[in-house]
């Protein structure tokens, strides 16, 4: 809501002066506040949106690719990001190694941008977006694998927020308030899927002589989706 009421710029794609006047009237409070206003044609306005998101996605994947190189070279990725971002031509925003981008905009926009560019004969100009997407997907897998190693496991399942006990221990039974996905990975030992990694859960094994104290998966700060007993 804040971004809607306080945008960085307004870009409108119109065919007529009348449409421009109407939009200027609608956004008059923002224009009075000094928000930059760009009047252009619809094609350019659409490209402004996807080009901005493609650039930010590229910046995120770039620094994550550099973090992978840093890991192999024994360098410090955080220091690299700060030093590179100190260049005013580059800046620090969106230049932070991490899980990569997600949400409802960046993945959809870069894929749709690349597909549409292919349709209009400009696919070669945006082939790098496929690499941006692949780097982003690989970064999630690398993060899960790193977390699994740090937790002492050999499988990305260990990074899902759920630890399954050895088969010799008491069996795990789970119940969930939501019908999907089922069973949760903690019950099967299977690697988490994209749908389950977004839904934290907790589990508890029944008491038994072999397991006198109930164990629990690590609970994220807002683990409200799954409740296993």
């Amino acid at each position: 809501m804040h971004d809607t009421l306080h945008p960085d710029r307004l870009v409108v794609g119109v065919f007529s002066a009348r449409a421009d006047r109407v939009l200027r009237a609608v956004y008059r409070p923002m224009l009075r506040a000094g928000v930059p206003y760009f009047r252009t044609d619809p094609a350019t306005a659409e490209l402004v949106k996807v080009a901005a998101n493609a650039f930010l996605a590229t910046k995120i994947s770039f620094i994550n690719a550099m973090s992978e190189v840093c890991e192999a070279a024994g360098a410090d990725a955080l220091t690299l990001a700060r030093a590179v971002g100190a260049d005013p031509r580059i800046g620090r925003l969106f230049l932070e190694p991490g899980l990569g981008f997600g949400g409802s905009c960046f993945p959809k926009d870069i894929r749709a941008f690349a597909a549409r560019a292919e349709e209009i004969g400009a696919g070669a100009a945006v082939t790098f977006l496929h690499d941006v997407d692949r780097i982003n997907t690989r970064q999630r897998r690398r993060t899960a694998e790193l977390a699994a190693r740090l937790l002492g496991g050999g499988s990305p399942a260990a990074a899902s927020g759920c630890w399954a006990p050895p088969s010799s221990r008491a069996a795990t039974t789970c119940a969930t308030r939501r019908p999907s996905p089922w069973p949760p990975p903690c019950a099967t030992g299977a690697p988490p899927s994209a749908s389950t990694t977004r839904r934290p859960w907790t589990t508890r094994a029944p008491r038994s002589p072999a397991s006198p104290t109930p164990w629990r998966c690590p609970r994220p700060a807002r683990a409200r989706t799954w409740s296993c007993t």
Side-chain angles (χ1 to χ4, degrees), residues 72-108:
D76 187 337
L78 294 178
T79 299
L80 180 144
R82 288 195 297 269
V84 171
D87 187 327
R89 298 170 300 175
I90 298 172
R92 286 286 286 122
L93 291 178
F94 287 79
L95 202 69
E96 194 74 35
L99 282 171
F101 56 82
S104 61
C105 282
F106 285 6
K108 164 185 64 68

Side-chain angles (χ1 to χ4, degrees), residues 20-43:
D20 181 49
R21 288 194 301 271
V22 170
L23 288 171
R24 286 181 181 274
V26 169
Y27 293 109
R28 184 174 294 115
M30 299 178 189
L31 297 179
R32 287 175 176 171
V35 175
Y37 181 91
F38 299 89
R39 174 190 170 180
T40 184
D41 56 90

Side-chain angles (χ1 to χ4, degrees), residues 82-146:
R82 288 195 297 269
V84 171
D87 187 327
R89 298 170 300 175
I90 298 172
R92 286 286 286 122
L93 291 178
F94 287 79
L95 202 69
E96 194 74 35
L99 282 171
F101 56 82
S104 61
C105 282
F106 285 6
K108 164 185 64 68
D109 280 359
I110 63 172
R111 293 166 190 165
F113 191 6
R116 181 56 180 157
E118 287 283 353
E119 291 176 356
I120 62 176
V126 294
T127 53
F128 70 93
L129 291 179
H130 299 294
D131 292 324
V132 168
D133 200 8
R134 281 192 290 268
I135 291 170
N136 190 63
T137 301
R138 186 171 71 248
Q139 184 70 4
R140 300 175 192 174
R141 184 173 62 252
R142 289 184 62 250
T143 302
E145 292 170 351
L146 175 61

Side-chain angles (χ1 to χ4, degrees), residues 2-24:
H2 182 274
D3 290 346
T4 301
L5 298 176
H6 303 85
D8 296 318
R9 75 280 197 195
L10 292 167
V11 182
V12 301
V14 296
F15 288 117
S16 67
R18 179 179 180 278
D20 181 49
R21 288 194 301 271
V22 170
L23 288 171
R24 286 181 181 274

